[in-house]
Amino acid sequence: MCEVAVRFDGNNITVNHKNCWHLRGENIKNLVMKAFSWISKDSVKNMKPFSKIFYPNDWGDGKYTVCSDKYTEQIIPCFAFDHWKECRINDYTETCDKISEEGIKKHIFDKLLWIGQLSHHTRKQFVLKYPSNHKREVIALRDHWGHNPAIKTQYISLPDHCKYKYLIDLQGNGYSGRVKFLLHSRRPLFYQARKFHEYWYWSMKPFVHFIPIKEDLSDFDAVFAWAESHPKECNQIAENAYQFAKNNLKREDALTRLKHILYKLGTGEFK
């Protein structure tokens, strides 16, 4: 289990991590250090020493985890708000800007796109039931882009996702760090129901910001048919999602949330 130890001694903050997958620990450290620097000197004087473990794993209970099955004020921002270099996302903000720019253009392929590793049984189910055809581009990867550099896998950058008419996010081992990027795409996003979500998920509404599908995928055919016959509504959903992302999913928004968490840990409001 990835653990990030955050300690405040009354003046300065230190961050150490262990057992973290790829660069997640370093990402969280970068975000914590930046967020702490945003706390004013006068506010720091109100803070008392604390020590807390953050858990940037694929699952969580909302107690200083990056995801949860219910909303809590202690859900910390995802590591990818810093970067996700193992997936060739060198900077969160730059990548979101590129996605937004590509999203302005008309799609090239009149298809739905999904590409990913078969890390969950419903992903395997989707790939088997809905292979690529004239309306779908479905690409199952043998391995994650960054897990084994020796394995050459097909890659479609997140900005290039915008070449497709629709996008879909399928659950993996836990929550999906990819969704916040896809919400910048100005493309209708099909979102599979799942247990774990990031903190901002509970501010969105189905059929307002995304097109919901059941976890078992049993309604996918019907929902996709609805989307095909309701282009105006789908375009509005995509625009709503983009506006939501622009107003709520900037790195600065994540850092502001993290700043408040650190401050409340220091004042004793959070335990």
Side-chain angles (χ1 to χ4, degrees):
M1 177 181 289
C2 177
E3 297 183 359
V4 180
V6 181
R7 295 182 176 87
F8 175 63
D9 64 6
N11 292 297
N12 300 301
I13 203 161
T14 58
V15 183
N16 295 286
H17 53 86
K18 64 178 181 179
N19 303 324
C20 290
W21 188 250
H22 287 295
L23 299 174
R24 290 191 185 192
E26 192 65 27
N27 293 145
I28 296 296
K29 178 180 178 179
N30 292 340
L31 294 171
V32 168
M33 298 303 291
K34 183 65 174 179
F36 180 73
S37 74
W38 284 14
I39 302 175
S40 69
K41 291 182 179 179
D42 286 340
S43 294
V44 169
K45 293 177 182 178
N46 297 325
M47 298 170 62
K48 295 181 180 180
F50 69 82
S51 180
K52 183 59 63 177
I53 303 295
F54 290 175
Y55 301 96
N57 299 293
D58 288 339
W59 61 93
D61 60 5
K63 298 178 180 177
Y64 307 102
T65 59
V66 297
C67 63
S68 178
D69 59 351
K70 59 185 178 301
Y71 179 79
T72 75
E73 292 186 350
Q74 290 81 32
I75 301 174
I76 64 172
C78 169
F79 67 92
F81 277 107
D82 184 32
H83 65 72
W84 199 351
K85 290 184 178 179
E86 53 266 37
C87 290
R88 307 186 197 179
I89 299 170
N90 293 322
D91 181 84
Y92 175 78
T93 301
E94 290 179 3
T95 300
C96 289
D97 288 346
K98 290 178 181 178
I99 295 169
S100 298
E101 291 171 6
E102 291 301 313
I104 296 173
K105 304 174 185 177
K106 181 176 173 57
H107 63 268
I108 298 173
F109 305 111
D110 190 30
K111 291 183 174 186
L112 174 143
L113 170 68
W114 182 77
I115 179 172
Q117 185 187 11
L118 299 181
S119 55
H120 191 270
H121 68 89
T122 57
R123 289 188 174 191
K124 298 176 184 178
Q125 177 185 340
F126 184 84
V127 168
L128 290 173
K129 189 173 182 180
Y130 300 107
S132 294
N133 65 8
H134 68 290
K135 282 294 182 180
R136 298 186 299 269
E137 188 75 26
V138 179
I139 304 170
L141 302 179
R142 173 184 170 188
D143 204 357
H144 187 283
W145 297 318
H147 291 192
N148 187 350
I151 297 176
K152 303 300 182 183
T153 59
Q154 188 170 352
Y155 178 78
I156 299 177
S157 71
L158 288 172
D160 281 348
H161 277 51
C162 297
K163 293 179 179 179
Y164 293 81
K165 182 178 182 180
Y166 306 108
L167 303 175
I168 185 171
D169 187 81
L170 302 174
Q171 67 175 316
N173 292 321
Y175 84 105
S176 172
R178 179 162 40 174
V179 178
K180 55 186 165 292
F181 294 96
L182 299 182
L183 292 171
H184 287 82
S185 67
R186 292 185 171 96
R187 298 291 181 265
L189 175 64
F190 291 82
Y191 186 80
Q192 180 194 19
R194 65 203 65 182
K195 183 176 182 179
F196 298 110
H197 309 274
E198 293 186 57
Y199 68 86
W200 43 263
Y201 166 79
W202 286 274
S203 296
M204 297 197 304
K205 295 180 179 179
F207 288 111
V208 175
H209 301 102
F210 60 91
I211 302 172
I213 54 174
K214 294 180 180 179
E215 185 173 13
D216 65 4
L217 306 173
S218 61
D219 62 345
F220 176 75
D221 287 311
V223 175
F224 187 77
W226 174 87
E228 285 283 78
S229 62
H230 291 79
K232 183 177 179 179
E233 290 86 347
C234 285
N235 289 337
Q236 186 60 58
I237 290 170
E239 179 60 23
N240 293 343
Y242 171 71
Q243 293 299 328
F244 177 86
K246 186 174 70 171
N247 293 324
N248 298 278
L249 299 180
K250 299 184 297 296
R251 178 187 285 146
E252 291 77 8
D253 299 315
L255 290 171
T256 297
R257 180 181 179 88
L258 190 51
K259 180 188 76 171
H260 291 321
I261 291 174
L262 295 173
Y263 182 71
K264 290 181 178 181
L265 281 168
T267 60
E269 184 175 345
F270 287 172
K271 302 297 184 182

